[in-house]
Amino acid sequence: MMGSRLEPDLLLLHAPSVYDFRKHAILYGPVSDMVPSSTVFEMYPLGFLTIASYLHEHGMDVRIVNLALRMMNSRRFDVPKFIARQRPRAVGIDLHWLPHAHGALEVARIVKETHPDVPVIMGGLSSTYFHRELITYPQVDFVLRGDSTEPPLHQLLVALRNGAPVDGIPNLTWKDSEGIHVNPHTYVPTTLDYVDIRPDLVVEMMVRYRDLESTLPFNGWWRNPIAAVFTVKGCVYECVTCGSSQTTCAHLTKRQRPVFRSPASLVANVESFARLTRGPIALIGDLRQAGSGHASEVLQRLRRAGVRNEIIFELFTVPPAAFLQEIDRCVPHWSIEFSPESHAQSVRNAQEGEADYTTEAMEEMLREALRLRCERLDVFFMIGLPGQTIESVRGTVDYCEHLFQLGDKRLSCFISPMGPFIDPGSRGFEEPDRFGYRLFARTLEEHRQLLVQPTWEHILNYETKWMTRRELVDATYDAAARLNELKVRYGRISPRRGRRVAAGIAAASALRARLESRLAQGGDPEFDSALRGEISRFSMSTVCDKRELFWRQRPANFRIAEVLRIVGRHIAGRGRR
């Protein structure tokens, strides 16, 4: 191995959304209620694992440190002191999702101040979009562009170690005394099979660095070890606000079409998680994008593999009944996540570019899934879409009741605001007037400043010609309250949990009014201090109870024999050094 235990070749750091969230009094709102992580967005990208896996295969040591999680779990965790104790050869920081614009740059600044000679490398889709602006920050040395950066990153690390030139490394933006340089974006792999996901490396990092917390993907992962395998990068669809739509990917990642993981590789990656954990495994991306034959081969391989974990299938459109029936034959435990965004066909058409399914077809698909052994069926709706009004949002909640009336408690509905930002590079971001949006930020720095505004109404980087930012917030709290009542009435959640969510919604709404009053009066630092703890309590589980997103817990989430095997392999490997 090139690096030592105390000197990893690459230290991967995941920053919180806002670096000093423990000091700010910001009402973040329900912008993270539909994802496993909190408003701190402490869930690091899956790319951290593929980077660690690729570099490990090429003889390099990588350490992942989830700074956001460490900061969440301990107010005493001192980031500058922690970073000062590290001795990495290079530091990588993700700016994949734009809500990390503040935290990522602040962590980069601390790294550069503490270790001025250590290269700071940034990557991710937001880094790619803003690469020319990002490289101008003094704390950033390199930006790797695109959604597949493992081989270029390896080339960069080798070049830095050897003092070699970097002008031939693909996808790299860099600077020197002569200025800024943008190397051609030529590394665009045609398959995802060039790198595997190695969850066992997470266990090895825990042992090697005697750190059980830093590599965890998000808060509560020990209790809810959800795993994810990306089946595709890119997309065949053109959703207006999506940063991974077909048009966006053609611009950002230079992909003219999606690239897929082969069925054999995909199932092998599923098996690698299944050896370690009993938790659910989500297949990210609709399998049918690669064609019905590809999807069928994945299912047949899953059947032969005999994986007992629950497999979560993501659907972008309505499949034929035969596809659901094949899932049922091949996978003993399975669930579906489906995101129609709106109940209204006109809104779906405006968002998705003429959605290729009707509401009637969607309902028939839901009925078919429930007729089979589908163990859970989550339907997600969004607020902030083109063509969507306050009345339309209320209609969506009414439609949720219609779905509840199907009478099967395996089906549940969720609704949340699209936020806090429209994705850079999406059609809505690039052509806001065409799609009815008004943007409040265009540059990276403008988004960084938005993230420290006092309420999520002011953090949103958009409003629509149908709803102002204030109306988007009003519609969200109204929809959340009404959907919560329906979930209690139809037995999706207990009355006790429903009362707790209702109290949270009411408290968040009242707190918002108090903050607005404070803003109108010019602010008060003592008021900020008094509200800080209260704000933290009412920025989580606002539109639903966060626990609704998690699968049922098991008495033993992890396969202890596999954990011990990984630990033993690591110890034996150290002994051979």
Side-chain angles (χ1 to χ4, degrees):
M1 302 288 280
M2 291 184 181
S4 70
R5 188 179 72 81
L6 297 177
E7 295 183 344
D9 296 287
L10 181 66
L11 175 63
L12 287 172
L13 300 177
H14 179 67
S17 174
V18 174
Y19 171 69
D20 39 8
F21 69 94
R22 295 180 294 190
K23 298 179 181 178
H24 277 292
I26 300 174
L27 182 63
Y28 293 107
V31 294
S32 68
D33 275 7
M34 295 295 106
V35 293
S37 61
S38 70
T39 53
V40 175
F41 288 99
E42 79 279 4
M43 185 167 64
Y44 57 74
L46 193 62
F48 270 23
L49 287 182
T50 58
I51 287 171
S53 301
Y54 187 89
L55 295 180
H56 178 83
E57 290 300 316
H58 289 77
M60 288 188 168
D61 261 345
V62 178
R63 182 182 185 186
I64 294 172
V65 176
N66 191 339
L67 291 177
L69 182 60
R70 297 294 303 273
M71 295 172 73
M72 276 184 66
N73 289 342
S74 173
R75 294 193 62 83
R76 294 184 298 176
F77 179 73
D78 190 309
V79 174
K81 287 184 178 180
F82 177 85
I83 290 174
R85 292 196 300 268
Q86 310 309 309
R87 295 293 181 267
R89 299 174 188 268
V91 171
I93 300 171
D94 63 292
L95 179 50
H96 185 60
W97 301 291
L98 194 52
H100 287 94
H102 186 278
L105 282 166
E106 284 299 297
V107 168
R109 180 186 59 79
I110 293 168
V111 170
K112 186 55 66 177
E113 288 178 353
T114 309
H115 302 291
D117 296 326
V118 173
V120 173
I121 308 163
M122 300 194 73
L125 288 182
S126 294
S127 292
T128 300
Y129 185 87
F130 293 109
H131 70 104
R132 290 185 181 272
E133 182 182 356
L134 184 58
I135 198 66
T136 65
Y137 286 87
Q139 62 265 50
V140 179
D141 298 303
F142 301 97
V143 181
L144 275 166
R145 311 189 305 277
D147 60 9
S148 302
T149 58
E150 295 87 358
L153 176 58
H154 176 248
Q155 293 178 49
L156 176 60
L157 294 175
V158 171
L160 292 173
R161 183 195 64 196
N162 297 333
V166 299
D167 55 352
I169 298 174
N171 305 22
L172 183 67
T173 300
W174 55 288
K175 62 190 176 188
D176 61 12
S177 59
E178 296 180 3
I180 293 172
H181 310 272
V182 180
N183 295 354
H185 193 137
T186 55
Y187 183 73
V188 185
T190 57
T191 176
L192 299 183
D193 292 2
Y194 69 92
V195 60
D196 288 315
I197 300 170
R198 292 276 307 276
D200 57 306
L201 293 181
V202 172
V203 179
E204 284 197 12
M205 287 180 210
M206 290 179 179
V207 177
R208 181 182 302 126
Y209 297 103
R210 299 182 180 89
D211 184 350
L212 297 178
E213 189 174 12
S214 290
T215 56
L216 297 183
F218 57 86
N219 194 35
W221 187 79
W222 283 121
R223 298 185 302 277
N224 301 284
I226 297 175
V229 174
F230 273 88
T231 69
V232 60
K233 288 186 178 180
C235 190
V236 300
Y237 298 104
E238 287 282 25
C239 296
V240 167
T241 58
C242 181
S244 291
S245 67
Q246 186 175 37
T247 296
T248 308
C249 286
H251 172 63
L252 286 186
T253 66
K254 309 306 178 185
R255 296 191 190 283
Q256 302 307 311
R257 59 185 61 86
V259 59
F260 301 95
R261 187 172 289 280
S262 71
S265 175
L266 194 160
V267 173
N269 279 263
V270 168
E271 290 178 293
S272 70
F273 278 111
R275 283 192 294 270
L276 183 62
T277 171
R278 293 182 173 85
I281 302 170
L283 304 185
I284 307 300
D286 192 324
L287 288 178
R288 298 181 67 251
Q289 285 191 92
S292 58
H294 174 98
S296 181
E297 185 179 348
V298 170
L299 295 176
Q300 293 302 322
R301 286 179 176 274
L302 284 172
R303 179 182 62 79
R304 292 194 293 271
V307 173
R308 302 297 299 177
N309 301 57
E310 188 166 349
I311 306 297
I312 306 167
F313 294 89
E314 188 176 22
L315 300 180
F316 291 168
T317 188
V318 172
F323 178 66
L324 298 179
Q325 293 161 8
E326 188 172 15
I327 291 176
D328 203 54
R329 288 194 300 271
C330 295
V331 182
H333 304 287
W334 59 281
S335 297
I336 285 177
E337 291 193 343
F338 186 65
S339 302
E341 313 290 24
S342 171
H343 76 292
Q345 189 79 46
S346 60
V347 175
R348 287 207 303 273
N349 288 345
Q351 166 71 352
E352 300 177 6
E354 297 299 321
D356 60 358
Y357 60 89
T358 64
T359 300
E360 292 73 23
M362 176 181 70
E363 289 184 18
E364 183 57 35
M365 180 269 289
L366 299 178
R367 290 190 184 93
E368 178 65 14
L370 295 173
R371 187 185 68 79
L372 300 168
R373 293 180 301 161
C374 180
E375 296 183 5
R376 175 168 169 167
L377 180 47
D378 290 343
V379 184
F380 294 91
F381 297 98
M382 195 71 71
I383 298 171
L385 304 172
Q388 190 180 49
T389 63
I390 293 176
E391 292 73 22
S392 178
V393 174
R394 293 183 67 85
T396 294
V397 178
D398 293 337
Y399 182 71
C400 291
E401 181 172 19
H402 170 70
L403 293 180
F404 289 157
Q405 289 171 345
L406 294 177
D408 197 310
K409 292 185 179 180
R410 289 175 291 170
L411 183 152
S412 195
C413 297
F414 302 86
I415 190 166
S416 73
M418 181 181 63
F421 301 144
I422 291 182
D423 290 340
S426 67
R427 293 192 298 161
F429 191 88
E430 299 302 309
E431 304 176 83
D433 292 341
R434 175 185 173 190
F435 296 102
Y437 284 101
R438 177 191 174 197
L439 299 183
F440 296 93
R442 296 305 303 256
T443 68
L444 177 61
E445 181 61 26
E446 287 170 349
H447 283 92
R448 194 179 76 88
Q449 295 297 333
L450 278 184
L451 284 164
V452 292
Q453 296 304 303
T455 74
W456 68 279
E457 176 182 331
H458 299 89
I459 293 173
L460 292 175
N461 76 344
Y462 72 95
E463 64 185 17
T464 75
K465 72 178 185 179
W466 302 274
M467 284 192 280
T468 65
R469 287 198 287 190
R470 176 174 291 275
E471 289 170 331
L472 286 165
V473 173
D474 290 340
T476 296
Y477 286 133
D478 175 71
R482 295 178 63 233
L483 183 57
N484 182 60
E485 292 173 0
L486 291 175
K487 287 182 176 181
V488 173
R489 187 186 312 165
Y490 288 92
R492 294 323 191 259
I493 60 176
S494 67
R496 180 180 179 182
R497 183 175 292 186
R499 286 193 298 270
R500 188 162 51 243
V501 172
I505 294 170
S509 298
L511 187 55
R512 172 195 173 205
R514 291 164 63 192
L515 285 169
E516 291 295 335
S517 175
R518 184 209 68 167
L519 287 174
Q521 297 170 10
D524 179 352
E526 291 186 6
F527 186 81
D528 279 358
S529 178
L531 279 180
R532 191 172 298 124
E534 188 176 355
I535 286 173
S536 297
R537 289 196 300 275
F538 298 119
S539 288
M540 288 278 289
S541 296
T542 301
V543 296
C544 70
D545 190 308
K546 195 80 165 180
R547 289 172 294 182
E548 289 184 60
L549 296 179
F550 295 119
W551 265 244
R552 65 181 183 276
Q553 295 185 28
R554 292 162 175 78
N557 286 323
F558 296 91
R559 303 186 190 278
I560 301 303
E562 177 66 10
V563 173
L564 293 176
R565 187 189 70 80
I566 295 168
V567 172
R569 184 184 67 195
H570 170 72
I571 294 172
R574 288 184 61 190
R576 289 193 295 269
R577 290 184 185 176

